[in-house]
Amino acid sequence: MGNRGKRENGKGKRKGSQFERDVCRILTEWVTGKKDPVIFWRTAGSGSQFTVKKGKSPMCGDIIAVDPVGAPFTDYFCVECKSRKKIFATSLLVEDVRSFREWWEGLVESSERACKGPLLIFRASHHPIYVLMRDLEFYELVDWAGVPERYFIVELPWVRGALMSLVRFLDWVDIEVFRAIGEERRKS
């Protein structure tokens, strides 16, 4: 019978790292229209540096801007990426959400320490990529970019926010929205 059905050591970590790289390339293309040069990349240790520091720091999450052109996005959001064999947007409502809840609560904690909004980017194998953000950031973006074409409001005891596909999110807002919000915040 061998190891069939058993997870290989490190395979989940490699899968998560690859998903983070894929998201970085998608975000880079969103900002520049090209996949190269890279604008976003994986945080060293995928957020572990911030966890160790336990203080106010602009670095948090799995993705940072390695070029100033992407900084308005990563100044606004602390981005965490999760890729699992079985995790769906409907998991929030109908399945055991313990791990999903733990991801979200950890992200909120680190994003608040960094004075940023939490953005969870997630997918199940062979399914679309989704984003989940707090209602606070969602409604601020609505004020700047209008109402997105398709989204879901999520209200659970541990999260109030908006859920949509990554494609719809990136069609809805562009980097200039984040740049304008950053300029407005610096003025006040």
Side-chain angles (χ1 to χ4, degrees):
M1 189 164 228
N3 283 340
R4 268 181 58 169
K6 289 188 178 181
R7 189 165 132 173
E8 294 175 36
N9 286 340
K11 188 174 181 183
K13 178 140 178 70
R14 283 194 312 267
K15 183 178 179 181
S17 298
Q18 183 59 53
F19 180 58
E20 291 168 6
R21 286 189 293 272
D22 293 344
V23 169
C24 289
R25 288 183 184 99
I26 291 167
L27 293 174
T28 293
E29 194 167 0
W30 166 64
V31 170
T32 66
K34 304 178 279 188
K35 291 188 181 187
D36 288 311
V38 173
I39 302 298
F40 300 95
W41 203 244
R42 298 177 61 226
T43 306
S46 288
S48 63
Q49 286 181 339
F50 186 78
T51 304
V52 171
K53 276 186 162 180
K54 293 282 189 197
K56 266 192 171 177
S57 169
M59 186 190 299
C60 71
D62 292 331
I63 294 176
I64 59 169
V66 294
D67 185 297
V69 74
F73 179 73
T74 55
D75 288 348
Y76 189 83
F77 279 124
C78 177
V79 180
E80 189 76 26
C81 299
K82 298 292 182 188
S83 178
R84 295 293 184 267
K85 187 174 183 178
K86 294 181 180 180
I87 183 78
F88 302 98
T90 55
S91 298
L92 288 169
L93 305 174
V94 297
E95 296 177 15
D96 174 22
V97 295
R98 187 185 58 180
S99 62
F100 208 108
R101 180 179 182 164
E102 289 169 0
W103 295 339
W104 181 255
E105 289 174 344
L107 173 58
V108 169
E109 182 182 324
S110 60
S111 66
E112 287 177 349
R113 282 196 310 266
C115 300
K116 299 180 183 187
L119 184 70
L120 181 61
I121 301 178
F122 65 96
R123 75 155 178 220
S125 297
H126 312 292
H127 285 82
I129 302 171
Y130 289 94
V131 298
L132 176 65
M133 71 189 89
R134 281 190 307 204
D135 58 353
L136 177 70
E137 287 77 25
F138 174 71
Y139 290 118
E140 181 175 35
L141 291 173
V142 165
D143 287 344
W144 286 86
V147 178
E149 186 176 320
R150 192 174 298 162
Y151 64 95
F152 299 94
I153 296 298
V154 176
E155 191 161 342
L156 297 169
W158 49 274
V159 61
R160 287 183 50 189
L163 174 73
M164 67 185 75
S165 75
L166 179 61
V167 170
R168 294 217 184 262
F169 175 76
L170 299 179
D171 285 345
W172 171 46
V173 293
D174 61 32
I175 195 69
E176 294 307 318
V177 169
F178 296 103
R179 193 176 328 284
I181 292 171
E183 287 173 9
E184 186 71 24
R185 287 179 176 178
R186 281 188 291 281
K187 288 179 188 174
S188 52

